[in-house]
């Protein structure tokens, strides 16, 4: 499904379809909390993260530190995935402990504003792939539809011509973009607990940059920073790119009920336990969007229930392999930017 827009009105009775599916999921016990699982996961990730920095301190000014940079890029991604689960209250039922743990993991742990990201991600879940309402398809750097391509100006128009080829290279800057977005968020009024968010963010930056400059030579510090932040950005982009990119986009006020809006704009990625861990369960994107507070280890079990129910209702359910999901996303980026290339060939600006 690679069409630009999706304007299929919901059939009669569609308003109750999600309620019926939700009952099936609830009866299967898949909405229950998993405190033991998350206690073990948090402990393991924290231990590995700490071990990485202990190795960093022991290695000293050595080029073997690049191996630590690669390892910590993966750990930053795993901490970001834990922050994601905390934001959706998959770990704690109530808001306060979720926010405390989320700020420790996000702001202090990896330098990503928990409050900024939660606001952005909540708006994405409410209107996935909606060109006017989903911040994840804003045409700030890339264009996601032919309509956005025709209206593009400046940097998106310049990059858009070859955006499919530049997509993964640009992901090397995603880690820096997450840092900068957090800094911008705490500089503006409106962010909840803005002072606390700012203090935790800048503590992270001070400790991180200070450690690099104290332990490594200036050149080693620069290379470590580039490798670590670049690979973290690629990892983050590789987690989220398969989920919606290349799926139909929405505009205006489409007549879609909740179930169809979430299923038709999301894509699942088939895989094994390794894929589940690497993508944090977000390879079950359809199920996650339908039940965002469902603990991530339950998503695998929910998948066949949701797929069977969609088949009953005649709702297209998209699932593909990991590499094919990237291929579809890149093909969509290339197709979406076609108007820019056409204008270039015809001499229009």
């Amino acid at each position: 499904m690679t069409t630009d827009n999706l304007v299929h009105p919901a059939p009669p009775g569609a308003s109750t379809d999600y309620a019926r599916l939700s009952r099936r999921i609830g009866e299967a016990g898949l909405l229950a909390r998993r405190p033991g699982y998350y206690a073990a996961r948090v402990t393991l990730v924290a231990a590995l993260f700490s071990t990485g920095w202990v190795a960093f301190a022991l290695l000293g000014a050595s080029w073997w530190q690049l191996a630590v940079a690669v390892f910590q890029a993966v750990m930053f991604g795993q901490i970001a995935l834990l922050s994601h689960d905390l934001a959706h209250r998959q770990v704690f039922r109530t808001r306060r402990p979720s926010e405390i743990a989320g700020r420790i993991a996000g702001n202090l742990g990896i330098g990503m504003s928990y409050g900024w990201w939660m606001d952005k991600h909540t708006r994405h879940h409410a209107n996935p792939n909606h060109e006017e309402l989903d911040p994840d398809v804003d045409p700030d750097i890339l264009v996601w539809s032919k309509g956005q391509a025709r209206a593009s100006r400046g940097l998106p128009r310049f990059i858009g011509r070859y955006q499919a080829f530049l997509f993964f290279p640009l992901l090397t800057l995603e880690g820096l973009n997450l840092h900068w977005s957090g800094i911008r968020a705490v500089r503006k009024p409106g962010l909840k607990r803005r002072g606390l968010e700012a203090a935790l963010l800048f503590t992270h930056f001070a400790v991180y940059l200070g450690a690099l400059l104290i332990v490594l030579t200036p050149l080693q510090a620069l290379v470590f920073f580039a490798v670590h932040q670049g690979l973290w950005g690629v990892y983050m982009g590789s987690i989220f790119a398969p989920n919606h990119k290349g799926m139909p986009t929405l505009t205006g006020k489409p007549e879609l009920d909740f179930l169809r809006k979430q299923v038709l704009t999301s894509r699942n990625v088939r895989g094994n336990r390794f894929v589940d861990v690497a993508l944090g369960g977000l390879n079950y994107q359809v199920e996650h969007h339908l039940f965002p507070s469902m603990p991530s280890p339950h998503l695998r079990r929910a998948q066949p229930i949701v797929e069977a129910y969609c088949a009953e209702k005649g709702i297209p359910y998209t699932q593909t392999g990991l590499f094919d999901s990237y291929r579809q996303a890149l093909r969509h980026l290339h197709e979406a930017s076609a108007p820019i290339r056409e204008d270039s060939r015809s001499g229009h600006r």
Side-chain angles (χ1 to χ4, degrees):
M1 300 173 68
T2 58
T3 56
D4 260 22
N5 299 106
L6 185 68
V7 196
H8 294 179
S15 59
T16 62
D17 287 344
Y18 177 73
R20 294 192 186 98
L21 174 60
S22 186
R23 278 197 297 271
R24 293 188 189 183
I25 293 294
E27 289 167 359
L30 300 179
L31 298 177
R33 290 292 187 275
R34 290 287 301 274
Y37 163 83
Y38 276 109
R41 181 175 165 188
V42 169
T43 300
L44 178 60
V45 170
L48 291 172
F49 181 69
S50 300
T51 299
W53 289 121
V54 169
F56 174 85
L58 293 176
L59 277 172
S62 166
W63 287 106
W64 284 106
Q65 292 283 17
L66 296 185
V68 177
V70 174
F71 177 78
Q72 290 296 62
V74 176
M75 297 318 302
F76 266 47
Q78 286 294 312
I79 292 173
L81 289 169
L82 272 174
S83 299
H84 169 271
D85 288 8
L86 286 161
H88 282 296
R89 299 192 193 176
Q90 296 177 19
V91 184
F92 302 106
R93 189 177 300 275
T94 56
R95 182 181 65 189
R96 183 170 177 77
S98 299
E99 290 181 346
I100 292 173
R103 290 191 177 102
I104 292 172
N107 294 57
L108 187 60
I110 59 176
M112 181 182 75
S113 169
Y114 174 82
W116 161 79
W117 184 86
M118 185 173 179
D119 172 71
K120 175 178 179 288
H121 197 61
T122 299
R123 288 185 284 129
H124 158 70
H125 266 263
N127 293 282
N129 265 21
H130 194 293
E131 293 185 28
E132 291 105 41
L133 302 174
D134 182 358
D136 286 356
V137 290
D138 279 346
D140 50 354
I141 298 294
L142 305 176
V143 294
W144 305 103
S145 70
K146 291 182 178 179
Q148 289 183 346
R150 295 185 186 99
S152 65
R153 297 290 184 274
L155 187 60
R157 191 166 189 84
F158 177 75
I159 290 178
R161 191 177 309 174
Y162 305 110
Q163 63 180 16
F165 303 97
L166 296 173
F167 179 70
F168 280 103
L170 285 171
L171 288 182
T172 60
L173 302 175
E174 179 59 20
L176 297 179
N177 178 54
L178 292 172
H179 294 319
W180 178 240
S181 296
I183 293 170
R184 287 192 303 173
V186 299
R187 290 175 59 192
K188 298 177 181 178
L191 182 69
K192 185 179 179 182
R193 304 298 298 271
R194 185 160 65 112
L196 176 60
E197 291 248 357
L200 292 173
L201 272 182
F202 288 106
T203 298
H204 168 86
F205 296 142
V207 172
Y208 175 82
L209 295 175
L212 263 59
L213 294 174
I214 291 171
V215 173
L216 305 177
T217 67
L219 178 60
Q220 288 172 343
L222 180 62
V223 176
F224 183 101
F225 180 87
V227 171
H228 177 222
Q229 297 294 326
L231 289 181
W232 177 43
V234 172
Y235 183 27
M236 292 295 290
S238 298
I239 291 171
F240 289 96
N243 301 341
H244 303 279
K245 307 315 179 194
M247 298 301 291
T249 57
L250 308 174
T251 57
K253 189 177 181 180
E255 299 177 12
L256 287 173
D257 62 297
F258 178 79
L259 174 64
R260 287 162 180 80
K261 177 170 65 173
Q262 301 298 340
V263 174
L264 294 173
T265 60
S266 302
R267 178 196 294 110
N268 273 16
V269 174
R270 298 187 194 92
N272 49 32
R273 296 290 183 181
F274 173 79
V275 173
D276 289 0
V277 172
L279 302 188
L282 295 182
N283 43 316
Y284 304 105
Q285 189 68 191
V286 173
E287 290 69 34
H288 171 60
H289 262 256
L290 290 172
F291 304 99
S293 64
M294 179 184 290
S296 57
H298 287 172
L299 293 168
R300 170 183 280 269
R301 294 167 54 196
Q303 188 276 325
I305 299 174
V306 173
E307 184 178 17
Y309 187 77
C310 288
E312 288 179 26
K313 298 297 178 181
I315 303 172
Y317 180 100
T318 302
Q319 186 170 220
T320 187
L322 179 62
F323 292 106
D324 189 51
S325 71
Y326 295 135
R327 182 187 62 79
Q328 291 181 30
L330 293 175
R331 183 179 63 189
H332 172 75
L333 282 170
H334 188 67
E335 292 174 351
S337 61
I340 299 176
R341 293 188 297 277
E342 291 167 2
D343 285 351
S344 177
R345 285 193 293 267
S346 64
H348 293 124
R349 293 288 184 269

